[in-house]
Amino acid sequence: EMGCESAVMDAEAAYVAALFAATSWQLEADTLLLSGGGDLTFERRPPVPTEALVGTDWLLETLIRGDVASTPLGDPATLRLLPDGTVVGSTGCRALSGTWVVRDGRVFFPEFAADGECPNLLDQDNLIVNVLGDGFDAVVEGDRLTVTSAGSEGLVYRSG
């Protein structure tokens, strides 16, 4: 069993009740509407822009924690997804390596390692490892890659 704050549990109960009470559905473009016990609207995730992601050298510009954006410190933090399914990069102090896949509209690193020590940039290092390691949404706009995790954390890279 799992318990959350009362407001979160109430929202979950309302969602589950509306889901089970749905009696009709409508699919229009990338939007699914379930009706009957309260309307639920779902939007399809945009496809992962793998053509723009793969083979590009990405340089970290911005760290995002909720409403706060900051500049990374230390050595350049990088990210590179290779066509053979491997990933390499750094957090600004530790080397990153592993493998990548696209599943359900998100990028995942099923094998992921951060080698080295990072005592002076621990917060930055943890944020990068957590965002990348938990699976992320990726949006490429021009020379910018925005990576967001399931929470309110993210990273903004630019092509190098």
Side-chain angles (χ1 to χ4, degrees), residues 4-5 12 43 70 89 102 109 111-112 114 122 139 145 152:
C4 297
E5 296 177 16
E12 178 192 28
E43 293 188 19
S70 60
V102 173
F109 294 166
E111 297 175 22
F112 189 51
L122 194 56
V139 175
L145 163 63
S152 59

Side-chain angles (χ1 to χ4, degrees), residues 23-101:
T23 57
S24 64
W25 62 274
Q26 179 181 356
L27 181 62
E28 193 170 305
D30 289 336
T31 303
L32 171 66
L33 174 64
L34 300 179
S35 302
D39 290 346
L40 295 174
T41 304
F42 300 89
E43 293 188 19
R44 185 184 314 239
R45 288 183 185 266
V48 175
T50 52
E51 286 185 22
L53 279 175
V54 176
T56 301
D57 290 316
W58 298 103
L59 178 65
L60 185 63
E61 278 194 333
T62 308
L63 306 164
I64 302 168
R65 289 181 186 94
D67 295 338
V68 178
S70 60
T71 303
L73 303 172
D75 292 334
T78 61
L79 183 67
R80 183 174 175 92
L81 281 69
L82 301 167
D84 67 358
T86 57
V87 59
V88 294
S90 76
T91 66
C93 57
R94 291 200 298 167
L96 302 174
S97 62
T99 60
W100 67 273
V101 297

Side-chain angles (χ1 to χ4, degrees), residues 131-154:
V131 169
L132 296 178
D134 289 341
F136 56 87
D137 293 319
V139 175
V140 176
E141 294 176 326
D143 68 345
R144 298 283 188 268
L145 163 63
T146 302
V147 169
T148 53
S149 67
S152 59
E153 296 180 325

